[in-house]
Amino acid sequence: MDKNHLDDLRIQVRDITFDIIRQIHKRMDMSKQIGNIKKTLDIDIEDEKVEQELKNQVSILSNELGLDNEFTGKIINLILQESVKIQKNFVNSTDNNIQTHMAIFMKAKELEKKGKKIIHMEVGEPDYPPPKNIKKVLSTVYDKKYYHYTEISGIPKLRESIATKLDKKLTPENIIITPGGRFGVFAAIISLLKFGDELIYIEPSWPAYKECADLLGIKTRVLNTNINEDWTPNISNLEKLINVNTKMIVLNYPNNPTGKILDKTVLDKIISMARKNNLYVLSDEVYSDYSFKKFTSLLDYEYENGIIISSFSKRYAMTGFRVGYCISTTSIISKIKKIQATAITSVAEPMQYCALSALENETNSNCDLIKDRLDFIVERLNKIGLKFIKPDGAMYVYPKLNSTRFSNDMELVNIMLDHGVAISPGSGFGKSYNEFIRLSACQPTELLKKGMDILEKFII
Ligand code: PLP
């Protein structure tokens, strides 16, 4: 009897599963039609408002049926992501044409190979050298036998030194050395979030957070900020983005590309909202040593679901050494460790010893140098009459183009490149920012002057 009943139920379950697949097929077919209409009407593929409404309605239905809201939310995210993908393929979305600062950097490198001289105002790569004492480390690597695998989370001496330098309460177990801050971001996201979860980040933004989430099937929700509000995130808009599937909010201050540092009162509100909703906070602080006003680190909050990303790349001008680190609770660090073990085993030992020596150096002069150069760019932008917020930190200025001579940022970026100056299009930091450009202060002032002279010619 029981066996017959089981067989019967299995047949019904199979039929229902078939029905679900047929319905999904029907839905995807409709997505194509919607994509076609959007193409004709020339409207954006992604519509946060429509998605949110659908999610809210499904949440109500899910409650009525007594289903787990988080589970139904994930299914909806999955379906929505697939629909967007179908529509984008079908419509040949303009998103595919957006170019990031890295794409311009690569173009500039190609031009240099052909013999063209380029002033690099597009990337955030210091033009000054790393500390001198690293040279000695590099020359002794072989004799000292620094050529082995290390502990997954990095050599203890390096983690101890970082912990001591930062805060007495930190232990080496709170730190994992990663190959650059970028891998730290990736490892933190992949170890804490799953397919169908949601991550909030703030635009304009360094593109890697979204790229990382997209790669992993994590739904991103964007909190847009604007120049008229000094790039300060609106807390009530942030609250509206949080739902049962939200797992993480990403912060990046001092900010790339705007140079903004949040006021502590705003940060307080964000952290308390994260706490209330049990969210991870990923705070990318790779520019913290380039702060021209008081910067409050997430470390100061002792937030149990916080992960701080830091790096030797900007602070010590060590981009090519590929050494960064994550700071968090031992339980989060052990999750990140699993990803690191699977992906890379450990960071190259010689590079970790170089980083250890770098820690002996003060970096105030790097910060002063960048500040002076930014002040120079700021003065020139004021003369040209472009609107921007004076950077509080980092290495960039993010002015708004008010010229009617260009239909968008890329037009100016291409003209500038033709004239030997690489700058970044604003849209690379969020598609709605195509009236902006990002200027980086990683060249000597004489070159920045030449670059600004050329920019002025096309702007005025
Ligand atoms: N975070 C931000 C905001 C960045 O701008 C960058 C690099 O430009 C990084 C992280 C990554 O730096 P790295 O991987 O070299 O440590």
Side-chain angles (χ1 to χ4, degrees):
M1 167 64 195
D2 274 356
K3 174 76 175 71
N4 286 348
H5 189 42
L6 178 66
D7 288 344
D8 189 38
L9 284 175
R10 278 184 173 151
I11 289 168
Q12 286 183 51
V13 163
R14 187 200 60 197
D15 288 347
I16 289 177
T17 310
F18 283 1
D19 273 351
I20 293 173
I21 299 297
R22 280 193 200 96
Q23 291 293 341
I24 288 178
H25 177 244
K26 217 166 156 182
R27 196 186 189 286
M28 295 310 161
D29 231 30
M30 285 176 175
S31 280
K32 283 186 196 161
Q33 293 177 42
I34 292 173
N36 200 10
I37 296 170
K38 283 179 179 168
K39 184 182 179 183
T40 318
L41 298 178
D42 193 23
I43 49 179
D44 263 359
I45 299 290
E46 285 182 89
D47 190 328
E48 277 285 326
K49 216 173 137 223
V50 173
E51 284 189 13
Q52 199 57 49
E53 260 169 36
L54 181 64
K55 257 201 105 167
N56 291 344
Q57 286 159 1
V58 170
S59 160
I60 294 168
L61 177 64
S62 169
N63 281 336
E64 278 170 16
L65 298 172
L67 281 168
D68 176 4
N69 236 332
E70 190 175 334
F71 173 69
T72 44
K74 276 191 183 189
I75 293 180
I76 293 303
N77 281 348
L78 193 70
I79 291 174
L80 288 173
Q81 261 164 292
E82 192 60 25
S83 302
V84 168
K85 200 168 91 191
I86 287 176
Q87 291 184 31
K88 276 189 179 164
N89 286 343
F90 188 65
V91 170
N92 195 12
S93 157
T94 51
D95 287 9
N96 302 335
N97 304 328
I98 286 179
Q99 305 215 25
T100 64
H101 57 289
M102 284 313 278
I104 306 303
F105 178 60
M106 293 305 161
K107 269 193 195 173
K109 286 270 170 209
E110 278 304 307
L111 291 172
E112 276 175 334
K113 265 196 230 157
K114 291 178 191 152
K116 195 173 170 80
K117 285 236 172 321
I118 302 284
I119 300 172
H120 288 278
M121 293 177 70
E122 81 285 35
V123 279
E125 173 153 40
D127 57 316
Y128 36 89
K132 273 233 169 70
N133 62 338
I134 289 176
K135 224 172 148 178
K136 196 163 156 231
V137 181
L138 284 170
S139 67
T140 55
V141 160
Y142 195 90
D143 290 336
K144 290 199 167 169
K145 298 191 171 50
Y146 292 157
Y147 41 55
H148 293 104
Y149 296 131
T150 74
E151 290 191 13
I152 296 160
S153 45
I155 55 172
K157 272 189 200 162
L158 179 55
R159 288 180 288 127
E160 272 158 27
S161 295
I162 294 170
T164 324
K165 217 174 158 132
L166 285 171
D167 186 331
K168 289 186 198 66
K169 282 188 197 150
L170 283 179
T171 71
E173 284 66 47
N174 295 117
I175 296 167
I176 180 166
I177 310 296
T178 55
R182 186 184 273 271
F183 190 79
V185 168
F186 177 75
I189 295 178
I190 194 174
S191 60
L192 300 174
L193 270 62
K194 292 192 196 70
F195 202 75
D197 285 342
E198 295 189 16
L199 170 153
I200 298 174
Y201 72 100
I202 301 169
E203 278 192 354
S205 159
W206 185 51
Y209 317 120
K210 177 171 166 48
E211 285 166 359
C212 196
D214 286 352
L215 193 71
L216 302 171
I218 292 157
K219 167 95 189 135
T220 49
R221 301 240 172 236
V222 185
L223 178 65
N224 281 104
T225 56
N226 66 72
I227 193 166
N228 297 329
E229 289 171 355
D230 287 0
W231 304 117
T232 302
N234 180 308
I235 301 295
S236 72
N237 286 349
L238 172 63
E239 190 155 28
K240 284 182 206 143
L241 296 179
I242 298 174
N243 64 57
V244 68
N245 296 111
T246 314
K247 294 288 177 278
M248 180 181 274
I249 167 153
V250 179
L251 305 177
N252 167 224
Y253 298 100
N255 182 261
N256 173 8
T258 62
K260 172 89 181 164
I261 290 179
L262 281 192
D263 286 345
K264 186 167 178 307
T265 48
V266 178
L267 192 57
D268 287 351
K269 286 183 190 150
I270 296 177
I271 306 304
S272 71
M273 191 173 294
R275 194 166 260 136
K276 192 175 99 190
N277 291 284
N278 200 25
L279 304 182
Y280 293 113
V281 176
L282 182 77
S283 182
D284 181 344
E285 302 180 2
V286 301
Y287 294 104
S288 61
D289 279 61
Y290 296 89
S291 296
F292 319 136
K293 72 174 216 189
K294 173 135 180 54
F295 166 71
T296 309
S297 164
L298 181 63
L299 263 184
D300 297 347
Y301 290 83
E302 297 182 18
Y303 179 51
E304 57 286 3
N305 283 324
I307 310 99
I308 290 112
I309 303 292
S310 197
S311 172
F312 287 76
S313 290
K314 315 287 174 177
R315 180 180 309 160
Y316 297 104
M318 288 171 64
T319 48
F321 287 69
R322 310 308 301 130
V323 188
Y325 51 97
C326 306
I327 308 172
S328 191
T329 58
T330 50
S331 114
I332 291 178
I333 292 294
S334 69
K335 288 183 182 154
I336 298 176
K337 221 165 128 180
K338 280 190 192 149
I339 300 301
Q340 175 129 307
T342 309
I344 62 152
T345 308
S346 61
V347 173
E349 191 175 24
M351 301 302 121
Q352 294 192 55
Y353 276 97
C354 289
L356 182 62
S357 292
L359 286 175
E360 291 164 18
N361 297 275
E362 277 309 320
T363 53
N364 295 346
S365 58
N366 290 349
C367 175
D368 293 344
L369 180 68
I370 290 290
K371 183 171 183 321
D372 285 350
R373 290 173 177 179
L374 285 172
D375 284 348
F376 171 77
I377 298 178
V378 159
E379 199 185 305
R380 291 293 303 266
L381 286 174
N382 275 331
K383 272 195 200 136
I384 298 173
L386 290 191
K387 187 171 174 179
F388 63 95
I389 301 298
K390 193 173 175 210
D392 303 320
M395 303 173 153
Y396 317 101
V397 192
Y398 197 60
K400 186 172 185 196
L401 303 170
N402 55 9
S403 171
T404 46
R405 288 168 68 177
F406 311 103
S407 57
N408 61 46
D409 53 354
M410 273 315 293
E411 211 177 313
L412 177 63
V413 168
N414 286 329
I415 293 173
M416 291 288 288
L417 205 51
D418 284 346
H419 288 80
V421 188
I423 58 170
S424 301
S427 53
F429 304 92
K431 62 181 175 199
S432 55
Y433 300 92
N434 67 356
E435 286 173 276
F436 289 82
I437 52 169
R438 188 193 73 174
L439 304 173
S440 128
C442 292
Q443 296 274 268
T445 309
E446 319 82 85
L447 288 183
L448 293 179
K449 182 181 174 310
K450 279 189 190 160
M452 292 307 289
D453 287 345
I454 295 172
L455 182 70
E456 186 174 321
K457 263 208 289 196
F458 293 105
I459 295 279
I460 292 185

